[in-house]
Amino acid sequence: MDKLFLSKRMFIDSEFVSGGILVAPNGKIRSILRSQQEINSWMYANESDETFDFGDYVLMPGLIDSHVHINEPGRKEWEGFETATKAAAAGGFTTIVDMPLNSIPPTTTVENLKIKRDVARGKVFVDVAFWGGVIPGNENELCAMVDQGVVGFKCFLCPSGVPEFPNVNADQVEIALQKLQNTDAVLAFHAEICPTTEIQVDETQSKKYETYLKTRPPSMEVDAIKLVTDLSVKYDVRTHIVHLSTADALPLIRKCREKRCRLTVETCHHYLNISAEEVPDASTEYKCAPPIRDHNNQKKLWQALIDGDINLVVSDHSPSTPGVKMLTYGKNRGDFLKAWGGISSVQFGLSLFWTQCKNYGMGLSDVVRLMCTAPAELCGINDFKGKIAEGYDADFCVWDPDDGFTVTQDIVQFQNKANPYMGRKLNGLVHATIVRGSHVFQDGENFRQPMGNLIERPVTGRKRV
């Protein structure tokens, strides 16, 4: 029996529609009813015990976060599948994509991918896809991992912070690109290259954010992105820059695209919502890599979103335990040089972005473009995710853009609660999250059963030779 979802503010194809969406038993959108007359006609001719009327709440495509670190197995105490996907659901996200590092083993072989999927199965509250990783020596695994449905691959051009996932050099990147050039896979880069001369800082001032900021200057990103853009010109492979933090690299990105390279770029909520000037001393929940930069840089990132130079916005949800984050009491508490670099925010992405949109003349169409459509396209799942259309998965975010909430510890669903937004008032309150036609989150109620699927990206494109 079909389900009927009603709203006076369905956001479809960049416009509001007062109507309904019929969802087939297989979780796919059967049809869209665009008037009360169509709804009445259908209800007269059909019987359904499952009609959900969301009134004036906005019903839009489910959000997709293509950059989430779920560290299970191996570091489940940092973040596990259950807590990460609950947090995603509470924030209106219906699909998240797991990064290949921080778990043990990392997702760098077909066997390791199977291990991670086996651990995730039956625990996820939203749909989950997987990135593979490129590390030195695993080039012969890449095409097989494409066949197993990874959305693409991530590599580091500087140390990743965990020994299981070493960085690659330029020659190793070229080997990977040669392997991937006859596939439709994307290679994503943590785009920082360590400077040739060590940066000296005053370690006695390690609890000041500016001390850490000096260790990762914009030139590290610019140098890395210069390498990425050069290789994007040389190889006909989709390439992607994760978590862009410096606006200094934007001219390189524009120049690369003038040559019709298939390069995409993302930035993160923390770069758009926090500036270096705001970071308090010893507050290591603000530490990430690349680092949060100054307010002037932040304004340029927003302009790049408006201009289309940056394609999508993600969380880079990268949690750790309080001890690793240097948030437990002791002499090392608040040490920016020793703390793990990662910010937790997957639950709050929609509200963080929406809160700032009005300051830059952006609206709901931009939210859908940057947080639904573009992530689906990046990950190659845009034939069934990322929009409300017939035949697509019935993934919906139901929310009130005019209401708000304060971030408090009791509402945080991810495992380790520390984040730089605690106490902040945000606009946009999620009331329900529907994945393939089933409620996984309803404001004020307990979570339903974990009904998320593990997504295998369809293998399409050119044949390998």
Side-chain angles (χ1 to χ4, degrees):
M1 187 176 291
D2 287 358
K3 298 177 182 179
L4 176 61
F5 294 85
L6 303 172
S7 170
K8 295 177 182 177
R9 292 200 289 174
M10 301 190 310
F11 195 75
I12 302 174
D13 297 330
S14 299
E15 65 179 10
F16 283 112
V17 176
S18 178
I21 301 171
L22 287 172
V23 177
N26 65 357
K28 298 287 186 179
I29 296 173
R30 185 185 299 280
S31 62
I32 299 170
L33 310 178
R34 295 178 177 268
S35 70
Q36 188 62 49
Q37 182 178 354
E38 287 186 64
I39 294 170
N40 293 340
S41 297
W42 186 87
M43 295 184 76
Y44 179 79
N46 298 273
E47 292 184 5
S48 175
D49 294 329
E50 295 192 283
T51 298
F52 306 94
D53 190 345
F54 294 110
D56 291 325
Y57 292 149
V58 170
L59 188 157
M60 72 175 209
L63 298 153
I64 299 172
D65 192 335
S66 56
H67 194 145
V68 178
H69 293 268
I70 305 173
N71 307 318
E72 187 179 7
R75 293 188 175 95
K76 183 182 177 182
E77 69 277 11
W78 291 22
E79 187 71 282
F81 283 100
E82 179 180 349
T83 48
T85 55
K86 279 185 174 180
F93 289 86
T94 53
T95 303
I96 60 176
V97 190
D98 173 64
M99 280 292 169
L101 69 155
N102 299 347
S103 60
I104 303 174
T107 317
T108 51
T109 68
V110 169
E111 180 60 30
N112 292 356
L113 174 64
K114 291 179 179 177
I115 290 171
K116 176 160 275 201
R117 282 181 174 152
D118 286 344
V119 170
R121 195 165 283 111
K123 294 181 180 178
V124 296
F125 286 79
V126 301
D127 288 353
V128 178
F130 297 88
W131 287 93
V134 171
I135 61 173
N138 80 327
E139 60 272 6
N140 291 329
E141 292 279 345
L142 303 184
C143 289
M145 293 178 73
V146 171
D147 292 339
Q148 291 297 313
V150 296
V151 303
F153 298 90
K154 181 183 182 181
C155 67
F156 275 72
L157 298 177
C158 64
S160 70
V162 292
E164 304 85 15
F165 203 95
N167 62 288
V168 289
N169 59 32
D171 291 339
Q172 291 161 337
V173 171
E174 290 214 50
I175 292 172
L177 289 169
Q178 289 164 7
K179 289 287 185 179
L180 297 175
Q181 64 184 339
N182 290 305
T183 76
D184 58 347
V186 59
L187 180 57
F189 294 83
H190 179 120
E192 289 182 290
I193 290 179
C194 294
T196 54
T197 57
E198 185 177 355
I199 297 171
Q200 300 294 326
V201 296
D202 184 355
E203 295 187 6
T204 66
Q205 300 297 310
S206 62
K207 297 187 179 184
K208 291 186 175 296
Y209 179 71
E210 63 185 34
T211 302
Y212 168 65
L213 187 58
K214 290 176 182 176
T215 68
R216 298 185 99 102
S219 59
M220 289 179 61
E221 278 189 272
V222 172
D223 290 347
I225 290 171
K226 176 65 166 61
L227 172 62
V228 173
T229 55
D230 286 347
L231 292 174
S232 297
V233 172
K234 185 174 180 180
Y235 293 94
D236 183 22
V237 175
R238 291 197 302 140
T239 52
H240 181 69
I241 295 166
V242 300
H243 50 47
L244 178 73
S245 83
T246 179
D248 292 355
L250 290 170
L252 285 171
I253 293 165
R254 296 187 193 106
K255 184 177 180 181
C256 180
R257 287 177 174 162
E258 288 172 359
K259 300 178 181 179
R260 300 188 181 277
C261 296
R262 297 191 290 164
L263 173 69
T264 52
V265 182
E266 70 186 42
T267 194
C268 303
H269 301 295
H270 36 274
Y271 304 132
L272 299 172
N273 281 271
I274 306 168
S275 61
E277 296 91 335
E278 302 172 54
V279 180
D281 290 351
S283 297
T284 49
E285 62 268 32
Y286 289 79
K287 180 181 176 179
C288 59
I292 294 166
R293 305 195 188 277
D294 63 38
H295 183 64
N296 185 55
N297 179 80
Q298 182 186 89
K299 290 192 295 184
K300 292 178 181 178
L301 293 179
W302 275 101
Q303 188 60 50
L305 286 172
I306 294 169
D307 295 340
D309 295 323
I310 297 175
N311 306 92
L312 59 152
V313 181
V314 298
S315 68
D316 187 12
H317 178 74
S318 185
S320 62
T321 59
V324 176
K325 198 67 177 166
M326 299 297 157
L327 289 171
T328 54
Y329 286 100
K331 67 177 182 179
N332 289 327
R333 178 180 173 85
D335 190 321
F336 278 103
L337 298 182
K338 295 179 180 179
W340 175 261
I343 288 178
S344 299
S345 67
V346 65
Q347 182 175 339
F348 304 117
L350 171 61
S351 302
L352 286 166
F353 191 69
W354 184 246
T355 300
Q356 295 292 335
C357 273
K358 62 184 178 182
N359 297 325
Y360 295 91
M362 302 180 79
L364 195 49
S365 292
D366 299 296
V367 174
V368 172
R369 170 175 60 90
L370 294 163
M371 298 180 65
C372 303
T373 309
E377 291 174 349
L378 171 70
C379 298
I381 56 176
N382 52 304
D383 286 341
F384 58 98
K385 296 282 190 186
K387 65 186 295 187
I388 294 176
E390 292 182 7
Y392 274 65
D393 286 355
D395 294 346
F396 310 135
C397 171
V398 180
W399 65 299
D400 186 348
D402 302 315
D403 199 358
F405 65 97
T406 300
V407 180
T408 53
Q409 184 163 316
D410 61 299
I411 69 170
V412 175
Q413 297 293 333
F414 42 81
Q415 185 156 309
N416 291 286
K417 311 303 183 186
N419 69 84
Y421 308 109
M422 206 70 78
R424 184 177 289 209
K425 177 68 181 293
L426 300 179
N427 299 327
L429 181 62
V430 175
H431 285 276
T433 303
I434 292 97
V435 177
R436 287 172 286 99
S438 296
H439 283 69
V440 295
F441 171 77
Q442 184 83 39
D443 188 34
E445 298 182 9
N446 292 328
F447 283 90
R448 311 292 172 88
Q449 293 299 310
M451 296 180 289
N453 281 346
L454 304 183
I455 299 173
E456 293 185 13
R457 178 181 185 270
V459 179
T460 58
R462 294 164 290 176
K463 293 182 179 180
R464 292 188 296 276
V465 295

